[in-house]
Amino acid sequence: MSIWIIFKLLGSLALLMFGMKSMSEALQKMAGPQLRHVLGAMTTNRFTGMLTGTLVTASVQSSTATTVMTVSFVNAGLLTLAQAISVIMGANIGTTLTAWIMSAGMSFDITSAVYPAFFMGIILIYLKKYRYIGDFLFGLSFLLLGLGTLRMTGTEMHLGENQALLDFFASFDPNSFLTTLVFLVLGGVMTFCVQSSAAVMAITMILCSSGALPIYQGIALVMGENIGTTVTSNLAAMSANTQARRAALAHMFFNVFGVLWILVVFRPFIDMVCGWVGYDVDMQKGAVETGVFLANSAKLSFVLAAFHTTFNVANTFILIWFIPQIERFVCWVIKPKKADEEDEFRLHFITAGFMKTPELSVLEAQKEIQSFSERMQRMFGMVRELLTLSASSTNKSNNQTGDFNKLFTRIEKYEGISDNMELEIAKYLDSVSDAHLSDDTKAKIRAMLREISELESIGDACYNMARTISRKYNGKEDHFIEKQYDHLHQMMELTDQSLTQMNRLMGGRKEAFDVNRTFNIENEINNYRNQLKSQNINDINSHQYTYAVGTIYMDLINECEKLGDYVVNVVEARMGTRQKDV
């Protein structure tokens, strides 16, 4: 075998893998938001969940994409783990469409048809409006070109006449259960190494169609590929959160259980599938004419695709009745990580290890920003509590001072958390933006970067207020008079209302959000600040309190007004509008 043929084989596999990736990403860009809405809306029970997983995976040609979307929804509380398991079962059925596309590519010479598709694709890409359709055509064309080249390379290699290869496969007893296990492990290892079940499926089809690899060993490789692809996702999910690891384990359990029961009925099940396709299992090379033997072998790619589909459909039909038991099993195996204190910095939704596409990564980042936003309102609540503590401690005791200092330290820690969250989310969005994204996604990332910047400013405003209160508490200035405390609490109540509105928007759909409510609260805050500013000058002139106390008092009022401005900026970034536009 010449080095040129080996490079041709590797190159055609690379073309096939690149084509699959490009086609899947283009489909997700065309239908990403709609698919997310479908996934969220159509999982009312285990059967609709399974059907949804099948349709979404068949649409985007990526079970990984479907799994990541599903896990994101579980994290967000939009789906239960049981619903997610039903979607993942459906994803296993949807991914079998790839095998049928590949079997068609292996059985017919489709390389000549890809060139018009390339030409149409480049025209659509330059039209910009239809560039995602062009990207899809390019991905599909690369996939079919890779398959066609792989098919021709397999023919050139004369694998069915390669005595060394035939002797190697003949050294395994076809009737031995150990042989089946060896090829099953081999299939799993190959899939894990090349990180592509499509590539292993293509290699298996080439070996079987050429007559070099018996069908039973070929089927064992396909079964191993089913397990190998779940090992990859489980390793990737190791650094992820609890629900992601449980979903990945449920995926592995589904495939491993399927392989176990197939091993029990191995020969009869394969013979049944071969009968459906019309493949003669007992036909031996040399016993019939070469042309008849090769025609029979050519059906093997369809046998593999039919087995893949039948296996996943049958496995789903068996396990779909036991989803609650599977859920309990994965929850028992994977215990929740030790609950983190709210005061500890940890990203909940963004996970470095779990593989995902750029379009879907945006959903994870949105959930993380929602968590960031809620944390900032909790921080403001601590500032209000700190003011209350400072007001109630006219005669400071050791316990009151300890409580005050403990709360101030907690606010200080939250300020550091807000800085870290901004940096980590920005770094994540920056890595996502390196990919080829749709215009909508680019706009979302720009808006999200503005959101985290403004949320961090809210954290700074809260910390500034806490420092001002601490300086006042530990200083020699007089206490605020009762009227000042009342005004401060009223201003903080308005500010907290604006934060509540912001979090309502961050956690829901912007179409249902009344943005005018936020702007009205902001106007109330501004008007109240102006009113208090004038009143403060009058109160100082009438000697109700000192100028130093009045300065600290107005610092807190002004910081609340600034915080309200930051809230409006977050709302505008999320809504894609400005106050003057409304």
Side-chain angles (χ1 to χ4, degrees):
M1 191 187 297
S2 71
I3 193 74
W4 171 247
I5 289 182
I6 292 173
F7 276 124
K8 200 172 174 183
L9 180 70
L10 294 174
S12 55
L13 279 172
L15 260 182
L16 179 135
M17 291 162 69
F18 178 75
M20 280 292 300
K21 181 175 180 291
S22 301
M23 187 173 71
S24 174
E25 287 183 357
L27 283 164
Q28 287 174 61
K29 285 171 192 168
M30 282 192 282
Q34 289 78 7
L35 287 174
R36 287 200 289 272
H37 295 154
V38 166
L39 197 58
M42 285 185 60
T43 50
T44 50
N45 60 58
R46 65 186 77 182
F47 298 103
T48 56
M50 182 267 293
L51 185 62
T52 303
T54 303
L55 294 174
V56 170
T57 306
S59 299
V60 299
Q61 283 295 290
S62 171
S63 57
T64 301
T66 306
T67 303
V68 171
M69 272 196 286
T70 305
V71 170
S72 299
F73 281 169
V74 172
N75 285 339
L78 301 176
L79 288 181
T80 64
L81 183 60
Q83 288 172 319
I85 292 169
S86 69
V87 174
I88 290 168
M89 286 181 178
N92 273 304
I93 297 174
T95 198
T96 61
L97 179 63
T98 307
W100 287 103
I101 294 171
M102 293 175 70
S103 64
M106 289 290 178
S107 303
F108 310 106
D109 183 13
I110 34 80
T111 49
S112 54
V114 302
Y115 300 108
F118 275 128
F119 179 68
M120 284 298 297
I122 200 68
I123 291 173
L124 292 171
I125 287 170
Y126 278 107
L127 284 174
K128 292 215 169 177
K129 186 180 177 183
Y130 302 104
R131 66 181 177 279
Y132 302 134
I133 300 175
D135 287 342
F136 168 73
L137 280 176
F138 255 70
L140 181 61
S141 300
F142 276 126
L143 169 65
L144 295 176
L145 184 63
L147 283 171
T149 311
L150 202 60
R151 176 176 170 272
M152 288 187 287
T153 307
T155 306
E156 288 175 26
M157 291 166 74
H158 303 293
L159 295 172
E161 298 165 19
N162 187 315
Q163 199 56 45
L165 190 67
L166 292 171
D167 289 343
F168 171 75
F169 288 128
S171 66
F172 295 95
D173 180 4
N175 298 313
S176 169
F177 182 69
L178 182 62
T179 299
T180 303
L181 289 180
V182 167
F183 277 86
L184 192 147
V185 171
L186 185 62
V189 171
M190 285 170 66
T191 304
F192 177 72
C193 290
V194 301
Q195 296 284 294
S196 172
S197 55
V200 178
M201 178 67 85
I203 292 168
T204 308
M205 285 181 175
I206 284 288
L207 289 170
C208 287
S209 299
S210 64
L213 181 65
I215 185 58
Y216 297 111
Q217 282 92 314
I219 295 285
L221 281 178
V222 172
M223 288 161 57
E225 164 227 307
N226 269 357
I227 295 176
T229 194
T230 64
V231 171
T232 304
S233 63
N234 271 271
L235 288 176
M238 280 178 70
S239 62
N241 52 45
T242 303
Q243 294 291 36
R245 290 183 296 132
R246 284 173 175 170
L249 179 62
H251 191 196
M252 175 179 270
F253 175 85
F254 176 85
N255 283 3
V256 170
F257 177 85
V259 166
L260 290 176
W261 71 258
I262 279 289
L263 287 174
V264 175
V265 292
F266 190 63
R267 290 286 175 131
F269 192 87
I270 295 173
D271 291 345
M272 176 186 72
V273 174
C274 290
W276 289 347
V277 177
Y279 172 76
D280 188 350
V281 183
D282 300 317
M283 188 179 291
Q284 297 292 322
K285 190 173 183 181
V288 294
E289 293 178 14
T290 304
V292 175
F293 177 78
L294 291 176
N296 191 48
S297 296
K299 296 176 184 175
L300 279 171
S301 59
F302 286 106
V303 172
L304 290 169
F307 170 81
H308 199 211
T309 302
T310 309
F311 163 71
N312 280 293
V313 170
N315 202 26
T316 300
F317 181 76
I318 293 169
L319 288 178
I320 200 166
W321 309 101
F322 300 100
I323 286 177
Q325 288 77 15
I326 296 171
E327 181 184 21
R328 283 200 291 273
F329 171 73
V330 296
C331 290
W332 174 73
V333 173
I334 299 179
K335 302 287 192 297
K337 291 178 180 175
K338 189 178 178 182
D340 293 327
E341 292 290 329
E342 282 184 349
D343 299 355
E344 294 299 323
F345 168 65
R346 183 173 76 90
L347 296 179
H348 293 274
F349 302 100
I350 291 173
T351 51
F354 207 59
M355 300 297 292
K356 56 184 77 68
T357 59
E359 302 289 328
L360 298 171
S361 301
V362 173
L363 183 67
E364 308 248 311
Q366 279 177 343
K367 297 300 172 190
E368 203 63 69
I369 293 172
Q370 182 187 337
S371 172
F372 189 3
S373 175
E374 290 165 356
R375 195 185 285 263
M376 289 304 94
Q377 186 167 14
R378 286 200 300 274
M379 185 180 182
F380 183 70
M382 292 176 211
V383 174
R384 295 180 74 182
E385 190 181 340
L386 194 73
L387 180 66
T388 303
L389 275 176
S390 72
S392 63
S393 55
T394 309
N395 300 313
K396 301 175 189 175
S397 68
N398 288 335
N399 284 342
Q400 285 171 326
T401 301
D403 291 342
F404 184 93
N405 290 335
K406 188 177 178 182
L407 186 57
F408 178 75
T409 302
R410 194 176 177 208
I411 294 169
E412 203 169 29
K413 194 170 186 181
Y414 259 62
E415 203 279 328
I417 289 172
S418 72
D419 289 344
N420 285 331
M421 288 195 80
E422 182 196 16
L423 289 173
E424 289 300 319
I425 297 171
K427 192 190 300 181
Y428 180 75
L429 289 172
D430 186 51
S431 67
V432 172
S433 63
D434 287 340
H436 179 53
L437 302 169
S438 66
D439 289 340
D440 281 348
T441 305
K442 286 176 185 173
K444 278 181 191 171
I445 288 176
R446 285 194 297 271
M448 289 159 81
L449 287 169
R450 186 182 170 205
E451 286 167 24
I452 59 173
S453 173
E454 298 296 341
L455 286 169
E456 195 277 331
S457 296
I458 290 173
D460 288 343
C462 290
Y463 183 52
N464 289 340
M465 280 189 272
R467 282 196 305 179
T468 302
I469 295 168
S470 179
R471 191 168 71 246
K472 172 80 177 61
Y473 180 79
N474 295 311
K476 295 179 181 178
E477 293 88 358
D478 295 333
H479 283 278
F480 293 137
I481 63 174
E482 189 175 342
K483 183 170 69 171
Q484 285 176 306
Y485 277 119
D486 289 341
H487 292 158
L488 281 168
H489 286 307
Q490 197 170 340
M491 176 61 96
M492 287 185 168
E493 177 60 31
L494 283 171
T495 309
D496 193 59
Q497 285 177 25
S498 70
L499 286 164
T500 300
Q501 287 295 309
M502 177 185 76
N503 279 315
R504 191 170 292 164
L505 169 63
M506 302 302 267
R509 291 174 67 93
K510 63 182 183 181
E511 293 83 3
F513 183 74
D514 181 11
V515 73
N516 288 314
R517 175 70 181 135
T518 296
F519 294 145
N520 290 340
I521 294 172
E522 169 61 9
N523 288 333
E524 282 186 62
I525 291 173
N526 290 341
N527 293 336
Y528 195 48
R529 187 273 314 263
N530 294 338
Q531 177 191 329
L532 294 178
K533 191 175 182 181
S534 301
Q535 191 174 338
N536 179 59
I537 294 169
N538 293 332
D539 290 342
I540 291 171
N541 288 336
S542 61
H543 304 293
Q544 292 192 34
Y545 45 80
T546 64
Y547 183 82
V549 170
T551 302
I552 294 173
Y553 166 66
M554 282 313 297
D555 281 347
L556 290 172
I557 296 294
N558 287 326
E559 209 63 58
C560 279
E561 192 278 329
K562 276 189 206 170
L563 197 154
D565 289 340
Y566 299 140
V567 168
V568 169
N569 292 341
V570 172
V571 170
E572 286 177 346
R574 177 53 66 99
M575 295 294 291
T577 184
R578 292 195 176 276
Q579 187 166 357
K580 64 184 179 184
D581 299 330
V582 178

